[in-house]
Every structure is written in structure tokens, then in C-alpha cells.
Amino acid sequence: MNTKAKDRIATGVFYAMAMIIVAVLFGLLFYILFHGLQRIDLQFITSSPEFMKAGGGVGPQLFNSLYLLVLTMLITLPLGLGGGIYLAEYAPKNKVTDVIRLSIEVLSSLPSIVVGLFGLMLFVNTMGWGYSILSGAFALTVFNLPLMVRVVEESLSSVPREQKEASFALGITHWATIRKVLLPVALPGILTGAILAAGRIFGEAAALLFTAGMSSPNLNFANWNLLDPASPLNPFRPAETLAVHIWKINSEGLIPDVREVADGASALLVITVLVFNIAARWFGKWLYRRLTAS
Amino acid sequence: MVSNEYALKTNDLNVFYGEKHAVKQLSIDFPSHSVTALIGPSGCGKSTYLRSLNRMNDLIEGAKVTGEIWFDGENVNHSAAHVRLLRKRIGMVFQKPNPFYKSIYENIAYGPRFHGVTNRKELNEIVESSLRKAALWDEVKDRLHHSALALSGGQQQRLCIARTLSLNPEILLLDEPASALDPISTSKIEELIQQLKANYTIIIVTHNMQQAARISDQTAFFLMGELIELNDTNQIFTKPTRKETEDYITGRFG
């Protein structure tokens, strides 16, 4: 067989692989949306679930997913940025930092159910936060932090060395160089990591079962008192997310329209992730343009 | 051409990279408002020497610089020296143009802003005068807020020179500033160096011997980390005193 034919076969194989991936994605999307979209309407998105009869919605669960995302990112982003900046810019090469890197690797391969049980032990019981959004947010932080640190470190390390030299040669401090020169260039990579982390927050169920809990109290969306159990913003209330809700009604739901609610909630989850993805990328592009004048 | 006043002197300067002795006992005086060219084959230590003058070798793990660097009546090669202030007063331009991923304006304003200039009007003036000094103003004045990365390589390098000039340094260290550029951009940079000589002391590393002959007042020839010969550029290129220098400039090696 000559080289040309080999080349053509290899190209064909890679095309086929790409097509398979795209086909699987669109197949899944189509399946989920086809079954779920019929159920989704304003009532479904805004009203509370029913426990015995048909016609319930997933309003609180959708809100919980979004609120948990915000809380988790509020904790994960500063920690991830700090850790990543330390490892990329300040950490010397020695035994201690080797151990840190190894720990991050190990942490990132922990099964999420183990992270959930750890969260139950530490945040729910020892810290005494109970089944709450805050416990969930911290458990998800444990879950997402390795990813975030890694991404920040890699994005910073891939900024051309000359950029750093140029800034240092102007007599500018390391910290100012990181903030003004390195981070803006690293932004697209960091953002991709943050979006991945956010996707895991939306989709995670196992780590939340024993931390954020499997129930949601009756919420009064006019109540802005952070400490009131009926306030949606109270971080100490239990908060079942969309993903957990799908799992729960599928395994122990008593409502007659289990199937429709599960389909609708799945479609809603997919749409939320998509919208979030697109919005975050759009915002990231806008920010990158602003910072780099490109 | 050589005046009596020296902007910078080094005394028995050594640079070690781990075990490697890259620069050996170098003593060179740099007259004010003149151009000194450092020439020699690759790996002879000329860039390493240049980078120790503004303490950029501090950034390299395992690098050690011993000896004295006299600048403004002070030996700046010790830990108590104010390195950031030193780098502000001794500017550096690198081999590969390295503008920041920012607008043309921000590339220039970045340094002065960090060093305390916050007034918008003042910054505007610094940006304009720096770009004028680097002979770039007319080419970019209508797109100051566009990305610097859209400029050509030669323009980028002049922007990097302007960026350095924005801090009003006394000495300019140029590390093969034209080696990545085409002949036209190179001649623009050379022209610029000739103009800048009036106000700055310039030390330039170059691989290009014609360039050294064209633009410098004195030339230092390096070989294997040692200074072989230091003299007026005319002398070096017409009557070198050392055999190694002659071999190098006549192209017998390197």
C-alpha cells in the first residue's frame, strides 16, 4: 500500500471518529429535548413539585442549581486562582510542591460519592451546617478545586515567557506582572476551566445527596432575609438541585407523571447548561477583548 | 568619540549557571551617550553579560553573578540594591519583539502607570513622546487603541523600544534587537539607535558585524565567556590587535 492511500485511510478514520462523537452528542440532545420539551412551560419552570399527584414543577430545584453554582464558584474561583498562581509562579521545585501536585492529582480522581460522604462528615456533621446549600457548595468545591487549580496553573504557564520578561524589565513587581500581564493572557484557558467546573456543578448528584440534601423547603421568593428558612437565599437551608431531583423521582417518585417530570427536568437541565455555556463564553470573549484590545 | 564620563562600569564580573562559568572576569566601561557593541559567536556569553547589567539574570534559577556593576556611584550587584528602580533606569529590549497583549497605548502607558503616573493627560503625553522618539508615532497615531499584536515585526520592535523609553531610562540594553527583522526594518532600527545615542547610553548585542561596524562607537569581542578585545569600533574592524578577533571579523569562524 502506498503512502498516499495510507494517508487517505488515516484521514477517513479520523473523520469517522469525529462524526461518531458529533452523532452521539446530537443523538442524545435530540432524544432528551424531544421527550422533555413537551413538558416544559412556564408553570413547570416556576412551580414546586407535587408529591402524590400529577402536574408538579421543578421551580425550586432550578433555582437551587443556579444558586449552588454561584455559591460554589464564589468559593472555588478565589481558591483555584490562588492555588494555580502559587503553583505556576511562586512554588519552588522541591519535595513539598511535589507532594502538593500529587495531592491535587489524587483529589481530582476521587469518586464523587466519596467526596459526598466526606462532605457529610465534615461540613454537615462536624461543622454543623446540616443538609444545606453551604455544605453542598463546599463539597463541590472539594470536587472541583483540583480541576480549577490545574487549569489556572496550566493557563499561566502557557503564557509566553517573553511577556513576563518584558514586564520585569520595566521594573514591575511580580504580583503586578501576574495581574496585569499574565492573567489577561491566560483568561481564555481559565474561563474554559471555570465553564467545565460549572458544568460539573449542574450535573453532579452523588456528591450532593448527603450534603445539599434531597429536599427543598417551601420557598418564598419575596423573602430576602438570609437567615429565614423560607428564604431562597438562605445558605443554611437544604437544597435539592435539578440533577438530584431527577435521580430522586426516578428512584423513589410516587407521582403518576414521574416519566414526564424526569424528561422535562432533564431537558431543562441540558438547556440551562447550554445557555450558561454560551453566556459564559460570550462574556469571556468580551472581557478578553477589553483586556487585550484584540 | 569616547568621552571621559562613564554611564556604567563592570569590574571582574562573573556569571555562573550552576556549574557553568558563562562569563569570566569581565571589566568594561561604557562611556555616556555612546553605542557599545558586544560581538562574538553564539554561546560566547555576550547576552548573558548584557542580562546581568539590569539584573535580569536574577530570574534564572541557579544563576549567580559575582563582581561589581557600578552605576550612578553605586555597586548595584548586591542584594540590597533596588532592582526595580535599577530596571526602570536601565531599560532592555529583547531579541524577539514582545509587545504585551494590549493596545498600543496600553503597551506604553503600562510602565509609567505602575511607577506612579496616573494623570491621564500626562500619560497621553508620555505615550506620544515615547512613540515619537521610537519613530513610530506617525504610523500608529490613528490606531493607538488597537492591539499591538497587529503591528508588523519591525513596528512591534520599535514599540518595544518606545515602551522602554516611556520610563525615561539612562541606559538602553538591546539584545540583538534586529535579528528577527527584515533588512528594511533593521535599517530603521539602526537609524533609530543613531538618533537615540544623543540622549541615552546604548549597549547592543549583535550577531551582525556590519551592524556593529555601522552603528557602534566601541566594540567588545567575546569568546568563550572572556573579553578578548575592547576598542574603538574603527580600530577593531581595521586593525584588530588579537588574532582571534581578526579571525572572527574576517569570517574565519563563528
Side-chain angles (χ1 to χ4, degrees):
Chain A
M1 197 165 33
N2 64 19
T3 327
K4 227 175 184 177
K6 277 186 197 159
D7 180 59
R8 228 173 287 147
I9 291 172
T11 313
V13 168
F14 291 128
Y15 262 111
M17 287 173 175
M19 291 314 283
I20 290 171
I21 293 168
V22 172
V24 168
L25 174 70
F26 276 91
L28 262 175
L29 262 184
F30 178 78
Y31 181 84
I32 293 169
L33 292 179
F34 178 78
H35 287 280
L37 275 182
Q38 325 171 21
R39 179 62 190 249
I40 296 178
D41 53 24
L42 194 65
Q43 191 264 339
F44 183 69
I45 294 176
T46 52
S47 62
S48 297
E50 294 289 346
F51 293 102
M52 303 304 279
K53 58 182 181 20
V58 291
Q61 283 72 23
L62 177 61
F63 176 83
N64 288 342
S65 280
L66 293 170
Y67 190 35
L68 188 69
L69 171 80
V70 172
L71 266 188
T72 307
M73 287 318 252
L74 274 181
I75 308 167
T76 306
L77 272 181
L79 286 176
L81 277 172
I85 289 172
Y86 170 74
L87 285 178
E89 289 296 318
Y90 293 98
K93 277 201 180 71
N94 59 28
K95 284 258 157 57
V96 179
T97 52
D98 282 350
V99 170
I100 294 178
R101 271 173 232 270
L102 185 69
S103 311
I104 292 171
E105 296 269 330
V106 172
L107 204 57
S108 69
S109 57
L110 279 186
S112 56
I113 186 73
V114 175
V115 174
L117 290 171
F118 171 76
L120 174 68
M121 187 189 77
L122 183 65
F123 306 124
V124 177
N125 293 332
T126 309
M127 303 296 285
W129 296 338
Y131 290 123
S132 63
I133 301 187
L134 201 62
S135 300
F138 272 95
L140 286 182
T141 299
V142 172
F143 186 55
N144 269 332
L145 201 55
L147 171 78
M148 212 53 224
V149 170
R150 252 296 144 83
V151 165
V152 172
E153 183 191 359
E154 268 165 29
S155 308
L156 280 174
S157 304
S158 63
V159 177
R161 211 194 127 71
E162 291 85 12
Q163 292 285 311
K164 196 170 154 184
E165 283 194 327
S167 183
F168 275 71
L170 292 170
I172 285 161
T173 54
H174 195 173
W175 177 228
T177 301
I178 292 170
R179 277 183 304 137
K180 298 285 171 66
V181 175
L182 303 185
L183 279 177
V185 181
L187 181 75
I190 294 173
L191 193 80
T192 302
I195 291 173
L196 277 177
R200 282 165 39 134
I201 296 170
F202 277 126
E204 184 53 42
L208 292 174
L209 296 177
F210 308 117
T211 52
M214 284 178 273
S215 63
S216 196
N218 286 324
L219 299 179
N220 173 7
F221 281 88
N223 188 336
W224 290 80
N225 181 355
L226 278 185
L227 298 174
D228 192 310
S231 166
L233 294 181
N234 183 347
F236 291 103
R237 67 177 175 86
E240 181 194 37
T241 64
L242 259 186
V244 172
H245 187 65
I246 293 169
W247 175 84
K248 193 179 79 175
I249 56 171
N250 262 320
S251 55
E252 55 189 46
L254 297 173
I255 42 173
D257 56 348
V258 161
R259 187 60 212 255
E260 286 83 40
V261 173
D263 285 346
S266 305
L268 187 60
L269 187 58
V270 169
I271 292 168
T272 313
V273 170
L274 274 181
V275 169
F276 176 80
N277 247 291
I278 293 165
R281 276 180 203 286
W282 176 83
F283 170 73
K285 240 182 219 156
W286 174 82
L287 189 64
Y288 184 71
R289 286 222 174 110
R290 257 197 74 122
L291 290 174
T292 63
S294 62
Chain B
M1 201 60 221
V2 175
S3 73
N4 297 323
E5 201 188 312
Y6 293 100
L8 190 75
K9 296 180 181 198
T10 66
N11 229 339
D12 292 339
L13 198 77
N14 291 285
V15 183
F16 302 88
Y17 287 140
E19 292 295 300
K20 191 175 178 249
H21 196 173
V23 168
K24 297 168 189 161
Q25 295 291 110
L26 278 192
S27 302
I28 305 180
D29 297 348
F30 300 95
S32 298
H33 300 181
S34 71
V35 178
T36 302
L38 312 180
I39 62 168
S42 298
C44 68
K46 55 194 190 304
S47 284
T48 303
Y49 173 74
L50 189 79
R51 291 171 60 96
S52 56
L53 298 180
N54 66 340
R55 302 275 302 268
M56 284 300 275
N57 279 334
D58 290 14
L59 303 184
I60 295 168
E61 238 172 280
K64 200 176 102 204
V65 182
T66 66
E68 294 168 352
I69 302 169
W70 287 93
F71 173 60
D72 198 13
E74 190 197 353
N75 174 17
V76 293
N77 189 33
H78 62 81
S79 53
H82 194 320
V83 175
R84 288 199 302 282
L85 192 63
L86 178 75
R87 291 192 185 135
K88 178 174 178 270
R89 295 175 66 189
I90 304 182
M92 183 167 226
V93 175
F94 298 83
Q95 181 173 0
K96 215 173 107 198
N98 55 357
F100 297 126
Y101 291 43
K102 296 173 187 292
S103 67
I104 294 167
Y105 183 97
E106 283 302 319
N107 260 279
I108 310 283
Y110 172 69
R113 200 182 278 136
F114 175 84
H115 289 285
V117 181
T118 48
N119 183 308
R120 188 83 197 174
K121 217 178 125 229
E122 214 175 318
L123 276 175
N124 289 343
E125 279 163 15
I126 290 176
V127 169
E128 179 172 346
S129 69
S130 305
L131 287 169
R132 278 190 192 284
K133 281 184 215 156
L136 191 59
W137 174 253
D138 290 328
E139 291 163 58
V140 302
K141 64 181 178 214
D142 299 322
R143 45 176 173 153
L144 288 177
H145 296 284
H146 289 69
S147 171
L149 301 181
L151 297 173
S152 74
Q155 289 174 324
Q156 287 189 5
Q157 194 60 304
R158 276 180 283 147
L159 180 70
C160 292
I161 294 175
R163 180 173 68 189
T164 305
L165 296 180
S166 71
L167 295 176
N168 213 6
E170 289 140 65
I171 299 176
L172 286 178
L173 308 177
L174 311 177
D175 190 358
E176 298 184 42
S179 67
L181 305 180
D182 63 82
I184 295 173
S185 304
T186 301
S187 72
K188 278 189 183 161
I189 300 270
E190 288 183 9
E191 234 171 82
L192 181 59
I193 291 171
Q194 289 301 313
Q195 290 165 18
L196 292 174
K197 196 173 85 170
N199 298 307
Y200 307 92
T201 303
I202 295 171
I203 306 171
I204 178 172
V205 165
T206 177
H207 261 123
N208 181 334
M209 277 173 287
Q210 285 77 27
Q211 185 172 65
R214 278 194 299 265
I215 62 173
S216 68
D217 302 306
Q218 69 168 356
T219 297
F221 174 60
F222 285 48
L223 195 61
M224 315 272 284
E226 281 178 71
L227 178 64
I228 302 297
E229 190 166 349
L230 168 69
N231 214 331
D232 278 6
T233 299
N234 274 335
Q235 284 287 321
I236 289 256
F237 282 95
T238 53
K239 295 186 283 237
T241 55
R242 294 278 298 261
K243 175 92 174 48
E244 296 94 323
T245 316
E246 193 180 342
D247 285 351
Y248 183 70
I249 59 175
T250 52
R252 238 165 274 166
F253 75 94

